[in-house]
Amino acid sequence: MKILVLNCGSSSLKYKLFELGDNNVLAQGQADRIGMTDAVFQHDAQGHETFLNKTPLANHHEAVHALLAHLVDGQQGILTEMSEIGGVGHRVVHGGEHFRTSVIVDPAIRETLEATKKLAPLHNPPNLMGIDVCTSLMPGVPQVAVFDTAFHQTMPPYAYTYAIPYHYYIDDHVRRYGFHGISHRYVACRTAEILGKNVEALRIITCHLGAGSSLCAVAEGKSLDTSMGFTPLSGLVMGTRSGDIDPALVSFLVEKEQSSLTQVMDMLNRESGVFGISGISPDFRDLEKESSLGNERARLALDAYAYSVAKGIGSLIPAAGGLDVLVFTAGVGENSPNMRRRICAFLSWLGISLDEEKNLNGILEEDISLPGTKVKILVVPTDEEKMIARETRTVLQKQ
Ligand code: ADP
């Protein structure tokens, strides 16, 4: 079965076409700077040269149209006709409390999805626009919504309830939701596969460490707690996001800067994290380089990040009921032996110790813990698109 996976951002669109029988990626590409005069569209299909086009794309409708045209193009195309696509899986960041699993989008579901826009005003509107555009351009092809929040809907109420007046939960659905669920679920399942165990039999903490970072406690195959909350701003220190801070700091900063709440929230989202501490860069590669050259603020930013991850791991152990496996994934988790070492250095008392050589060699999908220690440590590359494709297939096969 061929499944198209689509991830629509406000001015971008990424896609992958899978042949799911053998997990083969037939084509992939992206459109950037949609709506601007310097849009770029790139398309790579198996057996063909990369196609690059810099013609402006006025909107997402034009971008999806371009991608579909390339998939069925007489010369460069990988499909004879559109109907070969069995379904489209759309990444939708927020499913609120309503969506605990992936769903086929019909008019009633589309209406319910509308209500999720206010929970994720930056992400959900472009995600839903992708669904609308595909619905109009691909009549008869099922559109499936796969949510970043859905995996975390198994958290118990004591983990997702904020200690503020309860009517905000009842009236406005204010609670911890958690994000990166597609990635946490993928790496937890993959970890079980690698270890030859049933995922239900493992207590896992998955560390999705990228520009945005979050942790998840997985036991009995379910997410039982996670570090992000009502929005993806909370939890760990991140590239440019502050993570958890004292909430009273917000009013302090509004007063101190004589600025609006929106400006302060923007600062916490875009100018904070390791970028804010270091004043250098949100990119961990730059910080590691500067730190090795003796830059103290770069070093402090890396230490603060590592400590926040280690503290987060410690705080999730009650949720998981102990710990069998610690898993690192995403840009930093997969590629930075230094960061893995810094994090694990805080955790040896838990039976978490790295085999230095295996860690440095960046061995993937194998246990890299020191022999004889209690907790296995794995680096598992995430694959959110593959997870979305599989989910889409599962939902379609159930109908
Ligand atoms: P996101 O999907 O949230 O944008 P990614 O998972 O792609 O983030 O991770 C991006 C981050 O990974 C970059 O900010 C970069 O700092 C970090 N990264 C990538 N490669 C390395 C590396 N070799 N060493 C350290 N950090 C890395």
Side-chain angles (χ1 to χ4, degrees):
M1 183 190 262
K2 292 184 180 63
I3 302 281
L4 179 66
V5 172
L6 213 63
N7 187 352
C8 273
S10 56
S11 64
S12 70
L13 174 159
K14 289 188 190 140
Y15 61 92
K16 266 190 190 176
L17 179 70
F18 285 87
E19 176 60 77
L20 265 188
D22 46 12
N23 278 328
N24 198 358
V25 177
L26 299 174
Q28 59 186 309
Q30 64 186 71
D32 286 309
R33 306 181 68 78
I34 297 170
M36 296 169 223
T37 48
D38 53 350
V40 182
F41 176 74
Q42 183 175 334
H43 176 80
D44 283 286
Q46 252 182 22
H48 297 281
E49 294 208 342
T50 297
F51 173 85
L52 195 67
N53 192 353
K54 297 195 174 171
T55 326
L57 294 162
N59 49 40
H60 284 72
H61 195 277
E62 284 191 11
V64 175
H65 195 271
L67 111 77
L68 294 177
H70 274 84
L71 290 179
V72 294
D73 182 79
Q75 283 171 354
Q76 291 177 325
I78 202 99
L79 303 175
T80 320
E81 50 188 47
M82 201 84 77
S83 60
E84 286 176 55
I85 300 175
V88 184
H90 296 264
R91 182 194 202 136
V92 179
V93 165
H94 216 309
E97 288 194 293
H98 193 86
F99 295 105
R100 300 174 67 89
T101 55
S102 309
V103 283
I104 299 179
V105 182
D106 60 19
I109 294 279
R110 178 63 189 83
E111 212 177 303
T112 312
L113 279 168
E114 197 58 27
T116 61
K117 279 186 177 173
K118 64 176 183 301
L119 289 169
L122 294 180
H123 295 99
N124 272 28
N127 297 162
L128 300 191
M129 183 158 47
I131 294 178
D132 293 342
V133 170
C134 287
T135 306
S136 75
L137 288 175
M138 308 170 78
V141 178
Q143 309 295 322
V144 174
V146 182
F147 302 95
D148 259 315
T149 48
F151 183 52
H152 302 301
Q153 280 295 308
T154 44
M155 279 189 280
Y158 56 75
Y160 69 66
T161 304
Y162 285 125
I164 60 173
Y166 196 66
H167 65 83
Y168 290 111
Y169 171 60
I170 300 294
D171 300 338
D172 303 298
H173 309 283
V174 172
R175 51 163 283 178
R176 180 186 301 282
Y177 285 99
F179 299 89
H180 292 143
I182 298 166
S183 173
H184 287 298
R185 182 166 167 219
Y186 174 82
V187 294
C189 293
R190 180 76 194 121
T191 296
E193 248 171 51
I194 295 163
L195 297 176
K197 299 237 161 123
N198 200 322
V199 69
E200 278 87 19
L202 291 170
R203 298 165 300 176
I204 308 171
I205 291 181
T206 47
C207 309
H208 179 107
L209 308 180
S213 301
S214 72
L215 306 175
C216 180
V218 183
E220 296 174 8
K222 296 181 205 149
S223 165
L224 295 179
D225 201 356
T226 185
S227 60
M228 281 179 171
F230 182 64
T231 73
L233 176 59
S234 67
L236 307 176
V237 171
M238 301 182 220
T240 62
R241 287 174 239 167
S242 64
D244 287 346
I245 52 166
D246 181 339
L249 194 49
V250 175
S251 63
F252 173 87
L253 293 172
V254 167
E255 244 170 72
K256 152 97 180 63
E257 295 296 337
Q258 293 288 300
S259 58
S260 69
L261 185 56
T262 312
Q263 283 167 319
V264 168
M265 292 311 293
D266 203 53
M267 183 267 280
L268 295 174
N269 267 301
R270 295 179 205 275
E271 296 167 33
S272 301
V274 290
F275 175 50
I277 298 176
S278 67
I280 297 171
S281 167
D283 192 309
F284 289 78
R285 287 163 290 200
D286 298 339
L287 296 176
E288 287 188 4
K289 185 164 160 239
E290 286 299 320
S291 171
S292 71
L293 296 172
N295 186 310
E296 283 303 318
R297 291 253 303 274
R299 191 199 159 107
L300 175 63
L302 293 171
D303 283 343
Y305 180 85
Y307 179 65
S308 97
V309 176
K311 199 158 84 161
I313 291 168
S315 77
L316 287 182
I317 299 221
L323 187 59
D324 301 312
V325 199
L326 183 67
V327 190
F328 290 102
T329 193
V332 182
E334 290 168 29
N335 298 305
S336 175
N338 271 335
M339 185 50 73
R340 294 194 295 263
R341 184 180 44 74
R342 278 174 203 267
I343 293 165
C344 291
F346 286 111
L347 296 168
S348 57
W349 56 278
L350 270 173
I352 296 174
S353 291
L354 280 166
D355 180 311
E356 283 297 336
E357 208 177 309
K358 287 185 181 165
N359 180 47
L360 266 179
N361 290 339
I363 296 175
L364 300 177
E365 302 204 327
E366 265 182 41
D367 182 16
I368 58 166
S369 68
L370 201 61
T373 48
K374 271 203 326 220
V375 178
K376 294 192 188 333
I377 307 173
L378 266 72
V379 180
V380 177
T382 192
D383 195 336
E384 289 159 296
E385 289 85 8
K386 195 191 282 176
M387 189 77 222
I388 294 171
R390 284 184 189 164
E391 272 292 287
T392 303
R393 177 181 55 183
T394 306
V395 169
L396 293 176
Q397 283 172 343
K398 272 193 202 147
Q399 68 169 339

